Amino acid sequence: MLLQQATWQEVDEYLTRSKGLIVPIGSTEQHGPMGLIGTDALCPEVIAHRVSADAGILVGPTISVGMAQHHLGFSGSITLRPTTLIAVIKDYVLSLARNGFERFYFLNGHGGNIATIGAAFSEIYAERSLQRGSNQPGIMCKNQNWFTLPSAQRISKEQFGDREGSHATPSEISITQYAYPEAIKSMSEDKADAAPRSFTDAEDYRSLFPDGRIEADSFLASPEVGKEIVDACSKEVIASFNAFLAQD
Amino acid sequence: MLLQQATWQEVDEYLTRSKGLIVPIGSTEQHGPMGLIGTDALCPEVIAHRVSADAGILVGPTISVGMAQHHLGFSGSITLRPTTLIAVIKDYVLSLARNGFERFYFLNGHGGNIATIGAAFSEIYAERSLQRGSNQPGIMCKNQNWFTLPSAQRISKEQFGDREGSHATPSEISITQYAYPEAIKSMSEDKADAAPRSFTDAEDYRSLFPDGRIEADSFLASPEVGKEIVDACSKEVIASFNAFLAQD
Amino acid sequence: MLLQQATWQEVDEYLTRSKGLIVPIGSTEQHGPMGLIGTDALCPEVIAHRVSADAGILVGPTISVGMAQHHLGFSGSITLRPTTLIAVIKDYVLSLARNGFERFYFLNGHGGNIATIGAAFSEIYAERSLQRGSNQPGIMCKNQNWFTLPSAQRISKEQFGDREGSHATPSEISITQYAYPEAIKSMSEDKADAAPRSFTDAEDYRSLFPDGRIEADSFLASPEVGKEIVDACSKEVIASFNAFLAQD
Amino acid sequence: MLLQQATWQEVDEYLTRSKGLIVPIGSTEQHGPMGLIGTDALCPEVIAHRVSADAGILVGPTISVGMAQHHLGFSGSITLRPTTLIAVIKDYVLSLARNGFERFYFLNGHGGNIATIGAAFSEIYAERSLQRGSNQPGIMCKNQNWFTLPSAQRISKEQFGDREGSHATPSEISITQYAYPEAIKSMSEDKADAAPRSFTDAEDYRSLFPDGRIEADSFLASPEVGKEIVDACSKEVIASFNAFLAQD
Amino acid sequence: MLLQQATWQEVDEYLTRSKGLIVPIGSTEQHGPMGLIGTDALCPEVIAHRVSADAGILVGPTISVGMAQHHLGFSGSITLRPTTLIAVIKDYVLSLARNGFERFYFLNGHGGNIATIGAAFSEIYAERSLQRGSNQPGIMCKNQNWFTLPSAQRISKEQFGDREGSHATPSEISITQYAYPEAIKSMSEDKADAAPRSFTDAEDYRSLFPDGRIEADSFLASPEVGKEIVDACSKEVIASFNAFLAQD
Amino acid sequence: MLLQQATWQEVDEYLTRSKGLIVPIGSTEQHGPMGLIGTDALCPEVIAHRVSADAGILVGPTISVGMAQHHLGFSGSITLRPTTLIAVIKDYVLSLARNGFERFYFLNGHGGNIATIGAAFSEIYAERSLQRGSNQPGIMCKNQNWFTLPSAQRISKEQFGDREGSHATPSEISITQYAYPEAIKSMSEDKADAAPRSFTDAEDYRSLFPDGRIEADSFLASPEVGKEIVDACSKEVIASFNAFLAQD
């Protein structure tokens, strides 16, 4: 069930069965010469929607704009400052908790979000921790990157080996090619630049990675691999979500 | 062109032709017994994507969660506090302005967003206004509610008259029925409660409007009317967007 | 009763009769060659003080500085950023609510405040809406612009027709001439510039409206018309306030 | 010249002569059984307006609501949280600085504001200090409490000795009696409670000072003494303001 | 007992005896040619640690970075903006209050912190004051500058007279010389500049005080005087802390 | 060189040789029955001070209070909310950058800080990234946990194997025993509870880990192992810091 396509009565009914939902979270940022700017939001959304279709798990609206300050040297990239993203996640979670949700499973598509998501969870918990004996029902938040799921890593390794890289990877581009075949782009088969060191701000990033990719041979992507990843990851997410809900 | 499905080079190329884009903005909130929780985000998104397809105008990722505090009495509703939404809009606009966008046309699907969108625009302008002689390129933001477009109002009046109401209206539900036929819901043909007065917080709203609708006979909705509205509104948005860009 | 001229015991006694008060809110910003910088604060204050004198309604201290970022191109203009004004309104309302006030009637003198006032009310409500079953007494806030009161619009139309304009209007200047005859200014009878489009930031505003007025022939103002507006509006505000308090 | 009663051209002209203005700042809080709730805002306003009339010094709109959290146990008291008041002062100062003001003389009527005013000045300076070589024109802010002016202290001592106390003092009430004779209140001649220790929050304050006064025999106030204080203080403020402007 | 060197069980046991602790707070900022950058944090820390050793009073971790915007013209100086420092003090106090602490005695080493510390206490209290009948246990905060303790002032006067000055004073440098003999520095015996007026931002400060000192002949410092001050102040702090805890 | 024990001239001189410094950052939180509450701040401080002594690298004041919301169920624990810690790190870094520092090496002692430190770095970078062509000198921030240094992991494995655990570990307690022998505590040799799942807020943490430890047999600690870790880690930090500074 997709929250956006449900009614409030359907959500009420869902809550009698489950207190948890999945929140896809990504980013809107350049992904090199052939990767879509929405890649990091689209990938977890595609997987989460499959999970919803296959297992009846509720999926909230995708948080499409994330923490992407380092990509602002390329047109079309959008960032939320970390403090803004913390506020967004906090309001999102507390709104749903208000009516009974207790388990929030974030399915994340962007490495640059991880720290801020973690800080946001702590910000939510901190408010409760500062009050003794609040007797509120528990809130439990979990972040799961789709690209660190075992099957995603296995397929990446099998298919792309060390040409996967870490930004505009053939894996993530494969997923968007599978889900959005009308938006498949091509590029010359230039090997991506290696990362000499970690980056800082947008000007620094662009000077290190002139075409936007980090060590990723995006052109190896294919819709077929995308399908394989989505198939495998959605199964894993179902199991992982159910385990998360089964925790005491 | 959808920003999420474009590459940064395509955006660079677009910027040589146009400095403007459309940003769909909505809400995730109860819409009565048969309206989708995502209605207010889906409607402007549907229209904007049509605009993009028909006229090649760039459309950014939808801001799906808006200011919906009054709906929190119903499960599945999500709000951003106004100050959070202001921060989101500010970061979104300034990110794109950084690489050359100057005109931001927000296509809004939720009455409850209007005040906060206006405040957000002023927050963005205020930062510039407090500096004399900044010599920054101009930023111009405009909010256009799809439901106050002349054609939307005309069709609503023709089709639904005074049964349109103001929340969970047959017009907006018609659009989602047209765009998401697999998610059409039904309800008993109960007339919605009249609004005795304006509402305040979530408990107040729910006590005034027990099934979530405000004076809206949602069950009058049909996919056919939805198509009619989308067809007409998308034409108007193209014209309105072009006029906005043509302003000095 | 003016709050600033009352004692706390008098307020306690007032609370046994009424849970509501009027809060004048305006702006401190240029009003063209003859309009006072304080016009937008002074007008609602004058009307509210008359209301207090005539009907014994409590009036709080005027919020004299509002959201006026677009006027910062002219000396003497002061703005609060929208997020600052939201914080001010929230603290103001919650302070009085703490001791029993429940109905807050903002009498506003500045179009540029409307969006932010609306956002501020939602910010206040949101905090309550995010908590289920708070069992707090209700807070109800209402904004009423004096210049959209029926009598203000009628007199404006009768007296000034389409020369009223929208900034530094003869109506508002008439009120300040009536209330502050010692501060009546004059100007040459130059027709104001028409508004070619909506404005954005301060530099943009000044370039569109070089003398500060928007389509307003300020020089048509007179103290007599000012008196007529204050007389009529104060009667309407009393009725409107009482209706606001009578709502369930 | 009062800013609220001036035009922008008059302010432009004033700026050719002076870069400084006076900002009255006070509070809206209980002042015991006979002190007006607005006392702390009205006193500096009365003095500043006299200064303006006598010496042609520009006076901005009064910041009427200050930091009064400890008085919230009494009806009618309003506080801004310190962080809100900091934002207000910052926006106020930076707005006027934008068009050329450089010296901001705050005339304060409330002891509880002093710390927050100081923090606000530092917040303004800090933004500049964090940037090297900003080459902005200087901003200089000064806080002057009217009640610590030598003449205010001399008259208080002569007239009221140790019965002056520190909240709802006969001195401040005298000023409001002089300026607002129509709002003179009376009370039984009960000696105020001595302060056993400093107070913390509102409940604590009220338990220490049940009628709101701190060691102040308010009933000793008289309009005559009020006039004496205003006469003397306004002379001192003129001199002090001019000295402030004359500093390099 | 130093909090950093205690276990939670020891703190639990301490709480059965006392609800109070000492929080050293200082600054990290230039102190002229021979004063240590950490002087303002080290001095209260040294005294507080002595107090802890002598009287078994719990001492929390030192807040080493304070409000020092005016010193940013000199390398190595660090400031927190006032709003940041307010947040730090609030979180610090509320964390410890959560488990039973009620009395917070800040021992301050920096004049520039005083206003912000006061504002922070009010921010903490304000949250409670805005809620009626919260029935929370009380929180009481007190700021005590070590340099305004009677014995500190007496020794300063005896030893340094009017050569003490107000920044990089021989008194504070004496304390650090006594506590950190390995870090004693020397300078030429240049008299410090007199303060022509109060300072504003960092550029202004440096232009007024080119070597960083304010009227202070730092070179008069000696470890012997430092020991005398620490001995005397620690005794006074013990008495003052106990009196603070004994208040109802 | 320790910043707190240096003068501004010494820092100026240091800047001619190096643009980098080390910032120890930790936490103040329970560490089980025998671990010191300051463990996470003391460990990186001890290592950093050794580094300073051995290699002349500048070390700033320790950020002793970090993100520890989950420990608030135990007395003496203090947290900064993530948004507060972000502000602290931002002000700290920008203050030093103002006078020429460009490389900030955070030596972290607390796993719970990692996400927020990452978010803080992004917050700093974001401000720069949102401005095109700022031409500011670069700022580069790096976080290094001492406990993930290869030598720390090697010694831990050799000495404690799977009894190291993850909170109140024998390794970190060994360091504090070595550095603060006067504060060595003992406990009964109870094996710590295993972690059934990840924790959320303070009540949840305490219910999972009643004595505060996570899978750590703290009682295996010894000062000798502490010395070994400090010796090895300080060598590694020197090399790692120099490599960080040598990056282009």
Side-chain angles (χ1 to χ4, degrees):
Chain A
M1 184 162 65
L2 303 183
L3 182 63
Q4 289 195 298
Q5 298 188 17
T7 65
W8 67 264
Q9 290 95 334
E10 289 170 341
V11 178
D12 263 356
E13 195 275 330
Y14 178 88
L15 279 165
T16 63
R17 285 178 287 125
S18 172
K19 304 294 189 202
L21 89 165
I22 294 175
V23 182
I25 182 166
S27 185
T28 297
E29 61 183 46
Q30 69 81 19
H31 269 74
M34 66 177 283
L36 308 186
I37 285 174
T39 299
D40 285 356
L42 298 172
C43 289
E45 186 174 271
V46 165
I47 296 168
H49 286 202
R50 168 74 68 82
V51 163
S52 178
D54 289 355
I57 294 169
L58 185 66
V59 174
T62 302
I63 299 177
S64 298
V65 181
M67 209 307 293
Q69 64 81 21
H70 43 302
H71 294 293
L72 288 182
F74 297 89
S75 296
S77 301
I78 310 179
T79 195
L80 299 184
R81 287 168 293 133
T83 45
T84 302
L85 185 52
I86 288 171
V88 168
I89 293 173
K90 186 178 167 191
D91 288 358
Y92 193 124
V93 166
L94 295 184
S95 292
L96 291 168
R98 198 268 192 198
N99 290 306
F101 285 95
E102 296 181 2
R103 302 277 165 115
F104 298 85
Y105 184 102
F106 283 72
L107 189 64
N108 177 41
H110 175 47
N113 283 345
I114 297 172
T116 300
I117 291 172
F121 292 171
S122 296
E123 188 85 11
I124 293 167
Y125 297 144
E127 209 170 273
R128 304 162 68 93
S129 295
L130 283 160
Q131 300 184 311
R132 183 207 285 262
S134 58
N135 287 330
Q136 304 168 85
I139 288 178
M140 192 178 290
C141 300
K142 174 189 172 72
N143 183 52
Q144 176 64 58
N145 310 310
W146 73 260
F147 51 87
T148 53
L149 286 165
S151 59
Q153 300 218 310
R154 176 183 51 77
I155 296 168
S156 156
K157 193 170 173 191
E158 288 167 7
Q159 296 286 346
F160 309 120
D162 63 3
R163 304 178 74 181
E164 169 79 355
S166 62
H167 186 68
T169 68
S171 286
E172 60 191 355
I173 293 176
S174 293
I175 295 177
T176 63
Q177 288 185 340
Y178 162 59
Y180 297 91
E182 72 280 15
I184 296 179
K185 325 268 166 149
S186 61
M187 66 176 291
S188 63
E189 302 209 352
D190 297 330
K191 264 198 83 56
D193 293 302
R197 60 165 170 80
S198 62
F199 48 82
T200 63
D201 62 19
E203 293 193 18
D204 184 55
Y205 184 100
R206 184 149 189 173
S207 73
L208 292 174
F209 310 109
D211 79 358
R213 297 175 296 156
I214 304 180
E215 299 187 346
D217 286 349
S218 315
F219 47 80
L220 301 174
S222 75
E224 293 72 26
V225 175
K227 179 176 187 311
E228 188 185 352
I229 298 174
V230 173
D231 288 347
C233 285
S234 59
K235 283 204 190 72
E236 281 192 351
V237 168
I238 292 168
S240 155
F241 178 82
N242 287 334
F244 174 56
L245 259 71
Q247 288 178 343
D248 275 337
Chain B
M1 185 162 61
L2 302 183
L3 181 62
Q4 290 195 298
Q5 297 189 16
T7 65
W8 67 264
Q9 291 95 333
E10 290 170 343
V11 177
D12 264 355
E13 196 275 331
Y14 178 88
L15 279 166
T16 63
R17 287 178 285 125
S18 172
K19 305 293 189 203
L21 88 165
I22 294 175
V23 182
I25 182 167
S27 185
T28 298
E29 61 184 45
Q30 69 81 19
H31 269 73
M34 66 177 283
L36 307 186
I37 286 174
T39 298
D40 286 356
L42 298 172
C43 289
E45 186 174 271
V46 166
I47 296 167
H49 286 202
R50 168 72 68 82
V51 163
S52 178
D54 288 356
I57 293 169
L58 185 67
V59 174
T62 303
I63 300 177
S64 299
V65 181
M67 209 307 294
Q69 63 82 21
H70 43 303
H71 294 294
L72 288 183
F74 296 89
S75 296
S77 301
I78 310 179
T79 195
L80 300 185
R81 287 168 293 135
T83 44
T84 302
L85 185 51
I86 288 171
V88 168
I89 293 173
K90 185 177 168 192
D91 287 358
Y92 194 124
V93 166
L94 294 183
S95 292
L96 291 168
R98 198 267 191 199
N99 290 307
F101 286 96
E102 296 180 2
R103 302 277 164 116
F104 299 85
Y105 183 102
F106 283 72
L107 188 63
N108 177 41
H110 176 47
N113 282 345
I114 298 172
T116 301
I117 292 171
F121 291 171
S122 295
E123 189 85 9
I124 293 167
Y125 297 144
E127 211 170 273
R128 304 162 68 92
S129 295
L130 283 161
Q131 300 184 312
R132 183 206 284 263
S134 59
N135 287 329
Q136 304 167 85
I139 288 178
M140 193 177 289
C141 299
K142 174 190 171 72
N143 183 51
Q144 176 63 58
N145 310 310
W146 71 262
F147 51 87
T148 54
L149 286 166
S151 60
Q153 300 218 311
R154 175 183 51 76
I155 297 168
S156 156
K157 192 169 173 194
E158 286 169 8
Q159 296 286 346
F160 309 119
D162 63 2
R163 303 178 76 181
E164 170 78 353
S166 62
H167 186 68
T169 68
S171 285
E172 60 191 354
I173 292 176
S174 293
I175 295 177
T176 63
Q177 287 185 340
Y178 162 60
Y180 297 91
E182 71 280 13
I184 295 179
K185 324 269 165 149
S186 61
M187 66 176 291
S188 63
E189 302 208 351
D190 297 330
K191 265 198 82 58
D193 293 303
R197 60 165 169 80
S198 63
F199 48 81
T200 62
D201 62 19
E203 292 193 17
D204 184 55
Y205 184 100
R206 185 150 188 173
S207 73
L208 292 174
F209 310 109
D211 79 358
R213 296 175 295 157
I214 304 180
E215 298 186 346
D217 286 348
S218 315
F219 47 81
L220 301 174
S222 76
E224 294 72 26
V225 175
K227 179 176 187 310
E228 188 185 352
I229 298 174
V230 172
D231 288 347
C233 284
S234 59
K235 285 205 189 71
E236 282 193 349
V237 167
I238 293 168
S240 156
F241 178 82
N242 287 334
F244 174 56
L245 259 70
Q247 289 179 343
D248 276 337
Chain C
M1 183 162 65
L2 302 182
L3 182 63
Q4 290 194 296
Q5 297 188 15
T7 65
W8 67 265
Q9 290 96 333
E10 289 170 344
V11 177
D12 264 356
E13 195 276 331
Y14 178 88
L15 279 165
T16 63
R17 285 179 285 127
S18 172
K19 304 294 189 202
L21 88 164
I22 295 174
V23 182
I25 181 166
S27 185
T28 298
E29 61 184 46
Q30 69 80 21
H31 269 74
M34 66 177 282
L36 308 186
I37 286 175
T39 299
D40 286 355
L42 298 172
C43 289
E45 185 174 272
V46 165
I47 296 168
H49 286 201
R50 168 73 69 82
V51 163
S52 178
D54 288 355
I57 293 169
L58 185 67
V59 174
T62 302
I63 299 177
S64 298
V65 181
M67 209 307 292
Q69 63 82 20
H70 42 302
H71 293 294
L72 288 182
F74 297 89
S75 296
S77 301
I78 310 178
T79 194
L80 300 184
R81 287 168 293 135
T83 44
T84 302
L85 185 52
I86 288 171
V88 167
I89 292 173
K90 185 177 168 192
D91 288 358
Y92 194 123
V93 165
L94 294 183
S95 292
L96 291 168
R98 198 267 191 198
N99 290 307
F101 285 95
E102 296 181 2
R103 302 278 164 114
F104 299 85
Y105 184 103
F106 282 72
L107 188 65
N108 177 40
H110 175 46
N113 282 345
I114 297 172
T116 301
I117 292 172
F121 292 171
S122 295
E123 188 85 11
I124 293 167
Y125 297 144
E127 210 170 274
R128 304 162 68 94
S129 295
L130 283 161
Q131 301 184 311
R132 183 206 283 263
S134 60
N135 286 331
Q136 303 168 85
I139 288 178
M140 192 178 290
C141 300
K142 174 190 172 70
N143 183 51
Q144 175 63 58
N145 309 311
W146 71 261
F147 50 88
T148 54
L149 286 165
S151 59
Q153 301 218 310
R154 176 183 50 76
I155 296 168
S156 156
K157 192 169 174 195
E158 287 169 7
Q159 296 285 346
F160 310 119
D162 64 3
R163 305 178 75 181
E164 170 79 353
S166 63
H167 187 67
T169 68
S171 285
E172 59 191 354
I173 293 177
S174 294
I175 295 176
T176 62
Q177 287 185 340
Y178 162 60
Y180 297 90
E182 71 281 14
I184 296 178
K185 325 270 165 149
S186 61
M187 66 176 291
S188 63
E189 303 210 350
D190 297 330
K191 263 200 83 57
D193 292 304
R197 60 166 170 78
S198 63
F199 49 82
T200 63
D201 63 19
E203 292 192 20
D204 184 55
Y205 184 101
R206 184 149 188 172
S207 73
L208 292 174
F209 310 109
D211 78 358
R213 296 176 295 156
I214 305 180
E215 298 186 346
D217 287 348
S218 314
F219 47 81
L220 300 174
S222 75
E224 293 72 27
V225 175
K227 178 175 188 313
E228 187 185 351
I229 298 174
V230 173
D231 288 347
C233 285
S234 59
K235 284 205 189 71
E236 281 193 350
V237 168
I238 292 169
S240 157
F241 178 83
N242 286 334
F244 175 56
L245 259 72
Q247 289 179 342
D248 275 338
Chain D
M1 184 161 67
L2 302 182
L3 182 62
Q4 290 194 298
Q5 298 189 14
T7 66
W8 68 264
Q9 291 95 331
E10 289 170 343
V11 177
D12 264 356
E13 195 274 332
Y14 178 87
L15 279 165
T16 63
R17 286 178 286 126
S18 172
K19 304 293 188 202
L21 88 164
I22 295 175
V23 183
I25 182 166
S27 185
T28 298
E29 60 182 47
Q30 68 82 19
H31 269 74
M34 66 178 282
L36 308 186
I37 285 173
T39 298
D40 285 356
L42 298 172
C43 289
E45 185 175 270
V46 165
I47 297 168
H49 286 202
R50 168 73 69 81
V51 163
S52 177
D54 288 355
I57 294 169
L58 185 67
V59 174
T62 303
I63 300 177
S64 298
V65 180
M67 209 308 293
Q69 63 82 21
H70 43 301
H71 294 294
L72 288 182
F74 297 89
S75 297
S77 301
I78 309 179
T79 194
L80 299 184
R81 286 167 294 134
T83 45
T84 302
L85 185 52
I86 288 171
V88 167
I89 292 173
K90 186 178 167 191
D91 288 358
Y92 192 124
V93 165
L94 294 183
S95 292
L96 291 168
R98 199 267 191 198
N99 290 306
F101 285 96
E102 296 181 1
R103 303 277 163 115
F104 299 85
Y105 184 103
F106 283 71
L107 189 64
N108 177 41
H110 176 46
N113 283 345
I114 297 172
T116 301
I117 291 171
F121 292 171
S122 295
E123 188 85 11
I124 294 167
Y125 297 143
E127 211 170 272
R128 305 161 68 92
S129 295
L130 283 161
Q131 301 184 311
R132 184 207 285 262
S134 59
N135 286 330
Q136 305 167 84
I139 288 178
M140 193 178 289
C141 299
K142 175 190 172 71
N143 183 52
Q144 175 65 57
N145 311 308
W146 71 261
F147 51 87
T148 54
L149 286 166
S151 58
Q153 301 218 309
R154 175 183 51 77
I155 297 168
S156 156
K157 193 170 174 193
E158 286 168 8
Q159 295 286 345
F160 309 119
D162 62 3
R163 304 178 74 181
E164 170 78 354
S166 62
H167 187 68
T169 67
S171 285
E172 60 192 354
I173 292 176
S174 293
I175 295 177
T176 63
Q177 287 185 340
Y178 162 60
Y180 297 92
E182 71 280 14
I184 296 179
K185 323 270 165 148
S186 62
M187 67 177 289
S188 63
E189 302 208 353
D190 297 329
K191 264 197 85 55
D193 292 303
R197 59 166 171 79
S198 61
F199 49 81
T200 63
D201 62 19
E203 292 193 18
D204 184 55
Y205 185 101
R206 184 149 188 173
S207 72
L208 293 174
F209 310 108
D211 79 357
R213 297 175 294 156
I214 304 180
E215 299 187 345
D217 287 347
S218 314
F219 47 81
L220 300 175
S222 76
E224 293 73 26
V225 174
K227 178 175 189 311
E228 187 184 352
I229 298 173
V230 172
D231 288 347
C233 284
S234 59
K235 283 205 190 71
E236 280 192 352
V237 167
I238 293 168
S240 156
F241 178 82
N242 286 334
F244 175 56
L245 260 71
Q247 288 179 344
D248 275 336
Chain E
M1 184 161 67
L2 302 183
L3 182 63
Q4 291 195 295
Q5 298 189 14
T7 65
W8 67 264
Q9 290 97 333
E10 289 169 344
V11 177
D12 265 356
E13 195 274 332
Y14 178 88
L15 278 165
T16 63
R17 287 179 285 126
S18 171
K19 304 295 188 201
L21 89 164
I22 294 174
V23 182
I25 182 166
S27 185
T28 298
E29 61 183 45
Q30 69 81 20
H31 269 73
M34 66 176 284
L36 308 186
I37 285 174
T39 298
D40 286 355
L42 298 172
C43 289
E45 185 174 272
V46 165
I47 296 167
H49 286 202
R50 168 72 70 80
V51 162
S52 178
D54 289 355
I57 294 168
L58 185 67
V59 174
T62 302
I63 299 177
S64 297
V65 180
M67 209 306 294
Q69 64 81 21
H70 43 302
H71 293 294
L72 289 182
F74 297 89
S75 297
S77 301
I78 310 178
T79 195
L80 300 184
R81 286 167 294 134
T83 45
T84 302
L85 186 52
I86 288 171
V88 168
I89 292 172
K90 186 178 166 191
D91 288 358
Y92 193 124
V93 165
L94 294 184
S95 292
L96 291 169
R98 198 267 191 198
N99 289 306
F101 285 95
E102 297 181 1
R103 304 276 164 113
F104 298 85
Y105 184 102
F106 282 72
L107 187 65
N108 177 41
H110 176 46
N113 283 345
I114 297 172
T116 301
I117 292 172
F121 292 171
S122 295
E123 188 84 11
I124 294 168
Y125 297 144
E127 211 170 271
R128 304 162 69 92
S129 295
L130 282 161
Q131 302 184 312
R132 183 207 286 262
S134 60
N135 286 331
Q136 303 168 86
I139 287 178
M140 193 177 290
C141 299
K142 174 190 172 71
N143 183 51
Q144 175 65 57
N145 310 310
W146 71 262
F147 50 87
T148 54
L149 287 165
S151 59
Q153 301 218 311
R154 176 182 51 77
I155 296 168
S156 156
K157 192 169 172 193
E158 287 168 8
Q159 296 285 346
F160 309 119
D162 63 3
R163 306 178 73 181
E164 170 78 355
S166 63
H167 186 69
T169 67
S171 285
E172 59 191 354
I173 293 177
S174 293
I175 295 177
T176 62
Q177 288 186 340
Y178 162 59
Y180 297 92
E182 71 281 15
I184 296 179
K185 324 270 165 149
S186 61
M187 67 176 290
S188 63
E189 303 208 351
D190 296 329
K191 265 196 83 54
D193 292 303
R197 61 166 170 79
S198 61
F199 49 81
T200 63
D201 62 18
E203 292 193 19
D204 184 55
Y205 184 100
R206 184 149 187 172
S207 73
L208 292 174
F209 309 109
D211 78 358
R213 297 175 295 156
I214 305 180
E215 298 185 347
D217 286 349
S218 313
F219 48 80
L220 300 174
S222 76
E224 293 72 27
V225 174
K227 179 175 188 312
E228 187 185 352
I229 298 173
V230 173
D231 288 348
C233 285
S234 59
K235 284 205 189 71
E236 280 193 352
V237 168
I238 293 168
S240 155
F241 178 82
N242 286 334
F244 174 56
L245 259 71
Q247 287 179 343
D248 274 337
Chain F
M1 184 161 67
L2 303 183
L3 182 63
Q4 290 195 296
Q5 298 188 14
T7 66
W8 68 264
Q9 290 96 333
E10 289 169 343
V11 177
D12 263 356
E13 196 276 333
Y14 179 87
L15 278 166
T16 63
R17 286 179 285 129
S18 171
K19 303 295 188 201
L21 88 164
I22 295 175
V23 182
I25 182 166
S27 185
T28 298
E29 60 184 46
Q30 69 81 20
H31 269 72
M34 67 177 283
L36 308 186
I37 285 175
T39 298
D40 285 356
L42 298 172
C43 288
E45 185 174 272
V46 165
I47 297 167
H49 286 201
R50 168 74 68 84
V51 163
S52 178
D54 287 355
I57 294 168
L58 186 66
V59 174
T62 303
I63 300 177
S64 297
V65 180
M67 210 307 293
Q69 64 81 21
H70 42 304
H71 293 295
L72 288 183
F74 296 89
S75 296
S77 301
I78 310 179
T79 194
L80 299 185
R81 287 167 294 133
T83 45
T84 302
L85 185 52
I86 288 171
V88 167
I89 292 172
K90 186 178 168 192
D91 288 358
Y92 193 123
V93 166
L94 294 184
S95 292
L96 291 168
R98 197 266 191 200
N99 289 307
F101 285 96
E102 296 181 1
R103 303 276 164 117
F104 298 85
Y105 184 101
F106 282 72
L107 187 65
N108 177 40
H110 175 48
N113 282 345
I114 297 172
T116 301
I117 291 172
F121 291 172
S122 296
E123 187 85 10
I124 293 167
Y125 297 143
E127 212 170 271
R128 304 161 68 92
S129 295
L130 283 161
Q131 302 184 312
R132 183 207 285 262
S134 60
N135 287 330
Q136 303 167 85
I139 287 178
M140 192 177 290
C141 300
K142 174 190 172 71
N143 184 51
Q144 175 64 58
N145 310 310
W146 72 262
F147 50 87
T148 54
L149 286 166
S151 59
Q153 301 218 310
R154 175 183 51 76
I155 297 168
S156 156
K157 192 169 173 193
E158 288 168 7
Q159 296 285 346
F160 309 120
D162 62 3
R163 304 178 76 180
E164 170 79 354
S166 62
H167 186 69
T169 67
S171 285
E172 59 191 354
I173 293 177
S174 293
I175 295 177
T176 62
Q177 288 186 341
Y178 162 60
Y180 297 90
E182 71 280 15
I184 297 179
K185 324 270 166 149
S186 60
M187 66 177 291
S188 62
E189 301 208 352
D190 297 329
K191 264 197 84 54
D193 292 302
R197 60 165 171 78
S198 63
F199 48 81
T200 62
D201 62 18
E203 292 193 17
D204 184 54
Y205 185 101
R206 184 148 189 174
S207 72
L208 292 173
F209 309 109
D211 78 358
R213 297 175 295 156
I214 304 180
E215 297 186 348
D217 287 348
S218 314
F219 47 81
L220 300 174
S222 75
E224 293 72 27
V225 175
K227 178 175 188 311
E228 188 184 351
I229 299 173
V230 172
D231 288 347
C233 285
S234 59
K235 284 205 189 71
E236 281 192 352
V237 168
I238 292 168
S240 156
F241 177 82
N242 286 334
F244 174 57
L245 258 71
Q247 288 178 344
D248 274 338

